[in-house]
Amino acid sequence: MNDQSNAFLTAPRRVLVIDDALTNLKLMTLALSGDYEVLVAASGAQGLQMAEKERPDAILLDIAMPDMDGFEVCRKLKADPRLASTPIVFATAQRDPATEAQGLALGGTDFVSKPVKIDILKLRLRNIIDSHRVRKLVEMQNKDLSLAARLDNLTKLPNRLLLDDRLKMAMSQADRSKNPMAVVFIDLDGFKAINDQHGHAAGDHLLVALARRLQDSVRLADTVARVGGDEFVALLNNLTSQDACLPSLQRLLDAACTPVVWGDAVLSVSASIGVTFFPQAGDIDGQTLITQADQAMYQAKKSGKNSYAFFDGGRQNAPDLGLSNRDIIQGLNDGAFELIYCPELDIASGQVVVMEALLRWQHPKRGLLRPEAFLADLEGQAVAITIGEWVLRQVIEQQAAWHAQGLRVVSSIHISQYQLSQSDFFERLQQLLAAHPDGTANRLKIDTMEPAGSSELSAISHSIRQCRSLGVSFSLDDFGTGQCSLTYLRDMPINQVKLDSTLHDALTDNPGKQLVLQKLIALLQAMGYSVLAKGVETAQALQVLRRLGCEQAQGAAISAPISAQDAAEFLRTWQARGSA
């Protein structure tokens, strides 16, 4: 317990006595003064004024008073949010079940009978006040914990969770007032070079300093939040016009490019800023506004950095594909995205133990699109988070539905390194899982690729450890296609390694390749990982993998991907086969 909490619990106990009989007030003052600070009021109206001014720890309240009886005083106290939780002890000379029931129904804490037994009253008041203080302290600490979960760990700025709440409030205010608000996406130019040259401690020092300067660059009613490694979002509220944001945008640019001293080094970056406004024509949500601002930020970066650009609804962000962020958001809103499922087989038992979710987009003009047709160009953009969270929500809901049908299976989902490295990924996953408190976390597996660079490793490892504490397991996907080292594997808190098909291609007629793969599988298992082979095409290859010690497999030898609707019957068939 800290000093502040201890002081709160041990502060002198203050009791307000409300009674129209002056003799009773004097007696209570004399009797309680040694143990309590005693305040007195000779009427109900005076008692209400005294309670509002002094905020006592408890109120000893007479029932039979001429101007306003104790029950009416209690009603008024409970109607005041500032006093509603204050414990009230009724004092009455006529204590009967009906009177007691009425007082308790109004929110009274206890009753004492007149003439009052002082020793018993002292003990009751002490217990009531101390219990109330403990409850209040717990409430305050829970609020502090709740706020801490909504602040970025490093900069103490609002994180994405708190930003979402404030964005909803700002949009509601803009709708009512008809005054525009601006959503501003800020990305630091040259931050990676700071990390690479001076180390992560220098990068963190720079982020903390710039976070403070960015916050100081906007008004008190505005918000600056950290939403990624070197990404921030500002909400500029209640603007008189769209042009009114221009001074704030320039201040934000100036704040970002002001050098920061780190030991003997001077750290310097700039910022690319994207801006969009609300209200807009048609229905639009907060995430779409952030996506629009993010899209505009990339235009500022392409224009030479250290500048700002405004969202242009007609601009295409991916001209080679003919697909824009707006198309993607529209596809989500229209229900054009869907998940299909690819089974993962436990080779020894012959049971399907995992269903991996695969994303597909039924585009109105381009037909059915696989993720590689649109996700690659979105990496590092806010819209990628939007898609990832949509997929995660769908998988969790599907998993809960399968569990309700008695189907024993784990659901697997691929999460990008960018999404996994977000500082609030764990909190957002907790929120999604909280809607299904039936052990869904223990039936969820997240697949991710190895980070492109060491700078993301720490953040990703931290997220994985947090999520594993909930029961979520993790796989390293497509092992064998990147530069993954054994040191990296040792440092990553994963459960499984998924071998890319190139590692076991042409396996059945190549003894040398079988020997190498057997040793690789044994090594991975010795490091504590289970091993899955992807892209297994034939039953013969499946048998060879079993002989080499591979535990799980996925591919055409088990099943082609199937729809969510067909997955339940598929699982029942496999489970029935295993129990036969």
Side-chain angles (χ1 to χ4, degrees):
M1 183 184 302
N2 59 36
D3 293 341
Q4 187 176 4
S5 299
N6 186 61
F8 176 76
L9 293 176
T10 59
R13 303 178 182 92
R14 307 176 77 221
V15 177
L16 170 61
V17 182
I18 306 176
D19 198 312
D20 65 311
L22 295 179
T23 302
N24 289 340
L25 293 177
K26 290 180 181 179
L27 287 174
M28 287 296 104
T29 301
L30 289 172
L32 297 176
S33 290
D35 301 281
Y36 299 90
E37 288 186 6
V38 182
L39 310 168
V40 296
S43 68
Q46 186 183 6
L48 290 172
Q49 293 176 354
M50 187 74 73
E52 183 177 356
K53 179 182 177 182
E54 300 293 341
R55 305 291 176 86
D57 293 305
I59 297 174
L60 184 62
L61 179 59
D62 185 29
I63 294 179
M65 294 186 292
D67 65 328
M68 185 188 304
D69 68 20
F71 289 151
E72 182 61 23
V73 174
C74 182
R75 286 190 190 93
K76 292 181 179 296
L77 288 168
K78 295 300 178 183
D80 187 337
R82 299 164 299 178
L83 300 169
S85 65
T86 304
I88 296 173
V89 178
F90 288 107
T92 179
Q94 297 179 341
R95 185 172 176 181
D96 60 80
T99 300
E100 195 165 336
Q102 185 178 358
L104 294 175
L106 289 171
T109 304
D110 203 353
F111 272 81
V112 294
S113 299
K114 294 181 177 180
V116 175
K117 296 180 181 179
I118 296 300
D119 289 343
I120 294 177
L121 176 62
K122 286 182 177 180
L123 292 173
R124 285 189 175 183
L125 286 173
R126 186 195 67 186
N127 292 342
I128 288 170
I129 291 172
D130 289 354
S131 296
H132 177 65
R133 285 182 173 179
V134 169
R135 286 196 301 271
K136 194 169 182 180
L137 180 61
V138 170
E139 290 173 1
M140 291 190 296
Q141 290 174 336
N142 285 341
K143 286 182 180 178
D144 289 343
L145 290 172
S146 176
L147 178 60
R150 300 163 78 80
L151 296 178
D152 177 62
N153 289 333
L154 177 65
T155 65
K156 306 308 176 187
L157 291 177
N159 62 17
R160 193 179 290 269
L161 290 172
L162 186 52
L163 174 67
D164 287 348
D165 289 345
R166 292 192 178 177
L167 181 52
K168 290 174 185 176
M169 293 172 60
M171 292 172 67
S172 177
Q173 180 185 8
D175 266 332
R176 291 194 305 270
S177 68
K178 305 306 178 186
N179 290 334
M181 63 164 291
V183 177
V184 182
F185 200 102
I186 306 162
D187 182 84
L188 301 182
D189 307 318
F191 179 74
K192 184 177 184 300
I194 298 293
N195 270 342
D196 292 344
Q197 183 176 353
H198 300 284
H200 288 285
D204 288 349
H205 175 76
L206 176 64
L207 288 172
V208 171
L210 292 188
R212 183 170 59 250
R213 290 175 183 172
L214 293 174
Q215 183 68 72
D216 291 343
S217 300
V218 300
R219 301 163 300 173
L220 289 176
D222 298 332
T223 293
V224 175
R226 185 185 181 209
V227 296
D230 60 344
E231 296 173 337
F232 302 83
V233 169
L235 308 179
L236 308 181
N237 303 315
N238 199 28
L239 301 170
T240 55
S241 67
Q242 292 187 358
D243 289 345
C245 74
L246 296 179
S248 293
L249 297 180
Q250 188 58 53
R251 287 195 299 271
L252 289 169
L253 285 176
D254 293 343
C257 68
T258 302
V260 173
V261 176
W262 170 253
D264 296 331
V266 176
L267 311 178
S268 183
V269 296
S270 61
S272 296
I273 292 178
V275 187
T276 193
F277 296 97
F278 182 85
Q280 297 181 13
D283 292 334
I284 192 169
D285 60 16
Q287 185 56 57
T288 302
L289 289 174
I290 292 176
T291 299
Q292 290 178 353
D294 183 26
Q295 188 174 350
M297 180 275 294
Y298 274 89
Q299 292 304 314
K301 201 173 281 287
K302 291 177 182 177
S303 300
K305 305 178 181 179
N306 193 26
S307 63
Y308 53 80
F310 296 95
F311 174 72
D312 175 1
R315 180 183 293 128
Q316 298 292 309
N317 245 20
D320 292 340
L321 295 175
L323 302 173
S324 69
N325 291 359
R326 179 181 286 260
D327 289 332
I328 291 170
I329 296 298
Q330 188 64 47
L332 287 172
N333 293 336
D334 292 344
F337 286 86
E338 64 176 352
L339 297 180
I340 58 176
Y341 289 87
C342 188
E344 296 179 5
L345 180 76
D346 181 90
I347 298 176
S349 69
Q351 283 295 298
V352 170
V353 291
V354 178
M355 295 294 280
E356 180 184 4
L358 305 174
L359 180 64
R360 296 292 185 267
W361 182 6
Q362 188 63 55
H363 193 274
K365 296 180 180 179
R366 296 174 57 89
L368 190 65
L369 300 178
R370 297 166 62 91
E372 51 265 34
F374 55 93
L375 283 185
D377 284 349
L378 303 179
E379 187 66 7
Q381 298 186 44
V383 70
I385 302 291
T386 302
I387 295 175
E389 290 200 354
W390 179 87
V391 174
L392 191 55
R393 183 180 296 106
Q394 299 300 313
V395 168
I396 289 173
E397 291 176 357
Q398 183 62 69
Q399 174 58 253
W402 283 337
H403 179 67
Q405 297 172 49
L407 297 172
R408 302 180 301 277
V409 69
V410 170
S411 292
S412 176
I413 174 178
H414 186 92
I415 298 291
S416 70
Q417 304 102 312
Y418 177 68
Q419 184 174 0
L420 196 58
S421 66
Q422 300 300 301
S423 61
D424 60 346
F425 177 79
F426 172 70
E427 287 81 6
R428 296 178 79 84
L429 176 61
Q430 271 189 311
Q431 284 187 331
L432 293 174
L433 290 171
H436 304 284
D438 57 355
T440 299
N442 293 318
R443 299 187 299 276
L444 180 65
K445 178 162 71 79
I446 291 177
D447 300 340
T448 191
M449 303 282 283
E450 61 179 291
S454 59
S455 59
E456 298 89 1
L457 181 58
S458 177
I460 292 174
S461 296
H462 180 65
S463 282
I464 291 176
R465 289 188 176 89
Q466 285 183 308
C467 297
R468 284 190 59 172
S469 70
L470 300 175
V472 178
S473 61
F474 281 80
S475 293
L476 179 67
D477 206 358
D478 291 341
F479 181 84
T481 61
Q483 303 297 320
C484 192
S485 68
L486 294 180
T487 301
Y488 166 81
L489 279 175
R490 182 197 63 196
D491 293 338
M492 285 295 287
I494 57 174
N495 306 88
Q496 184 185 61
V497 173
K498 302 179 79 169
L499 304 179
D500 185 77
S501 60
T502 55
L503 291 175
H504 59 81
D505 190 32
L507 187 70
T508 54
D509 56 358
N510 191 328
K513 194 167 188 176
Q514 291 183 24
L515 181 60
V516 171
L517 185 59
Q518 184 178 33
K519 291 184 179 299
L520 174 61
I521 292 171
L523 176 60
L524 292 171
Q525 291 170 340
M527 296 177 70
Y529 309 121
S530 65
V531 180
L532 177 144
K534 296 179 62 175
V536 181
E537 300 294 327
T538 66
Q540 186 180 5
L542 193 62
Q543 292 302 316
V544 173
L545 285 166
R546 179 176 185 175
R547 179 170 53 80
L548 298 181
C550 187
E551 293 127 305
Q552 294 181 16
Q554 182 183 40
I558 297 95
S559 171
I562 52 179
S563 68
Q565 292 79 5
D566 294 335
E569 185 58 35
F570 177 88
L571 288 168
R572 290 191 189 94
T573 301
W574 277 86
Q575 291 184 2
R577 180 190 304 176
S579 61

